[in-house]
Amino acid sequence: MSVKTVATRPFAGQKPGTSGLRKKVKVFSQPGYLENFVQSIFDTLNGQQGQTLVLGGDGRYFNDVAIQIILRMAAAAGFGRVLVGQGGILSTPAASAVIRKRAAFGGIILSASHNPGGVEGDFGIKYNLANGGPANETFTDAVYQRTQGITEYRYVEADDIDLSRLGETRIGAMTVEVIDPVADYAELLESLFDFERIAALLARPGFRMRFDAMHAVTGPYAKALLERRLGAPAGTVVNGTPLADFGGGHPDPNPVYAADLVNAMADPGLGLSFGAASDGDGDRNMIVGSNFIVSPSDSLAILTANYSLIPAYAKGLAGVARSMPTSCAVDRVAADFGIPCFETPTGWKFFGSLLDAGKATLCGEESSGTGSNHVREKDGLWAVLYWLNILAARNESVEQIVRAHWQKYGRNVYSRHDYEGVESAKAEAMFTALRGKLPTLAGQTIGGMRVRMADDFSYTDPVDGARSEHQGVRILLEDGSRVVFRLSGTGTEGATIRLYLERYVADPAQHSVPTQQALAPLIALAESVAQITATTGRTKPDVIS
Ligand code: G16
């Protein structure tokens, strides 16, 4: 086996963000760019000799090229075996499931998640640890340091591996095993839910479901689970063929980018009772009832409130966790059940230690991510099956379930406004000015609302003591409402400003007030404090979810 060494020079900006390194395909396909980052991951690892690596991605443009490069580099790094999904495909939760089931050393997931794909689109890469979860900041910081001092990368010369056929081949001393990307994951999900009951629901006259895979990775997974194992009629999964450019769409399951699904769910002629969508790599979910969109924060609270209906969780939840900008709806359920509720920074990597330590069973983020201790990633289809299991057990509509939840716990009216592609310097200026105001805000009354506290969120991991600073500016009001500002860590063009708005409404008579109307005073407060329009020139958000 001959290991080739190639001299290289550092690229600027190879710093992983909220979830790995995400850049334009054009950036990733520069000679040496991917190789430098992968070598920096391998150089940061310790003890991988002879061990197993899991490798796969969401099938976006450049996925196939990147996989062949990484296989040759993994052989040079001394891995004994690489498990790669057939066709180079593994959804993010499936990769996590495979890492855990096969006791792998870790995994490399190729995805830019909900970001658009294609030649002009985005690509991404992240490393997951042996627990199946995204590497923590200590690891990603070390990888970044390494990228800035790298001088060479290594690979084993070999022809491209045929990824279309299951089975084993070798690169030097390393075995490459092409695995079924769906099997381990589908088996795991089947072990968590009441499949018989869900199958009966799907066969019920009058119950009609649509799952929109948005031409992304979940198509084959959804077809296997919903149509083949659970017997949903063929055609339940739409846009189910994964495409390298997601059919030109933006595979982000929100009311703007999944408008087709939202419109179908509002069309009485179609008679759809339950709709769902997932994102590029299959970790996000959107849940829609008949003409009724469920907010992701509410979804987390409702999954928690209904845990006793789900075989895997019926014995009890150790606790729940949500990212800081996620609404406090789940906090109320946790308080009701007397279980802990953790508030973490944005990004799934912060849930890993809580799940590993058995402190939390369910986790979620406002950005359409929910999951549990079954893997260490958020999991789109898991959330869909959880909802189906609840619907099958309760025999009520999605809207009835949500409204009954609000009736019992009150409604945390919630929305996120995204300003995308803002000039980075302007976004930075806005945050600098905002942070400068923080010490003076507490006690002020703005637009008739009194500020209780304002800070830049920081977090100390309760398990390993790791500290994370500057995780989002929070303005907490005396009536329990919140306004949060963050800069996205996953975008690839300019800056994306995220404004999160939350107001608690106990009175059921007010629960049907349209969301943006109910939040109008907070939107005005956010503008007056942060001066978004004055600083960025933007008069309205690009996406409201
Ligand atoms: C966004 C969301 C986060 C999420 C992250 C990664 O981060 O706000 O809640 O954890 O994406 O999710 P995915 O892997 O599905 O892209 P940011 O930093 O852009 O706000």
Side-chain angles (χ1 to χ4, degrees), residues 18-19 22 112-115 126 279 281 283-284 323 346-348 365-367 378 416 486-491 498 500:
T18 314
S19 184
R22 291 188 189 167
S113 190
H114 53 289
N115 297 14
K126 69 174 177 177
D279 69 334
D281 61 333
D283 56 3
R284 295 185 175 201
S323 65
T346 296
W348 207 262
E365 296 193 275
E366 52 66 41
S367 53
K378 54 187 182 270
R416 186 176 97 184
R486 271 186 72 249
L487 275 178
S488 159
T490 59
R498 302 206 195 283
Y500 308 84

Side-chain angles (χ1 to χ4, degrees), residues 183-386:
D184 287 352
Y185 172 76
E187 182 186 283
L188 174 62
L189 288 194
E190 193 161 357
S191 74
L192 305 176
F193 299 105
D194 189 339
F195 265 42
E196 251 176 63
R197 211 168 191 176
I198 298 174
L201 171 74
L202 291 168
R204 218 179 270 170
F207 186 89
R208 289 196 63 199
M209 167 177 185
R210 174 170 293 187
F211 180 88
D212 191 338
M214 303 186 85
H215 286 303
V217 78
T218 41
Y221 294 89
K223 281 186 194 161
L225 281 159
L226 298 171
E227 295 185 5
R228 289 202 285 282
R229 295 198 184 205
L230 287 163
T236 297
V237 177
V238 300
N239 300 322
T241 306
L243 299 174
D245 67 349
F246 309 117
H250 196 136
D252 193 354
N254 65 40
V256 174
Y257 297 129
D260 286 353
L261 177 69
V262 172
N263 293 337
M265 294 304 300
D267 182 345
L270 293 173
L272 291 164
S273 2
F274 181 67
S278 195
D279 69 334
D281 61 333
D283 56 3
R284 295 185 175 201
N285 72 88
M286 178 164 81
I287 302 295
V288 196
S290 188
N291 203 15
F292 188 88
I293 300 173
V294 182
S295 122
S297 293
D298 278 346
S299 181
L300 174 64
I302 289 163
L303 299 186
T304 304
N306 288 279
Y307 77 91
S308 64
L309 303 175
I310 312 297
Y313 312 110
K315 287 204 182 104
L317 304 175
V320 287
R322 63 164 173 83
S323 65
M324 180 275 283
T326 303
S327 96
C328 302
V330 71
D331 302 37
R332 294 178 181 276
V333 182
D336 183 22
F337 291 164
I339 57 172
C341 179
F342 298 89
E343 183 179 42
T344 62
T346 296
W348 207 262
K349 59 186 175 231
F350 294 101
F351 294 136
S353 72
L354 299 171
L355 294 166
D356 285 350
K359 287 181 176 294
T361 309
L362 304 182
C363 306
E365 296 193 275
E366 52 66 41
S367 53
S368 307
T370 28
S372 87
N373 57 359
H374 69 294
V375 286
R376 293 294 180 272
E377 290 280 3
K378 54 187 182 270
D379 188 343
L381 273 164
W382 170 89
V384 174
L385 291 171
Y386 201 131

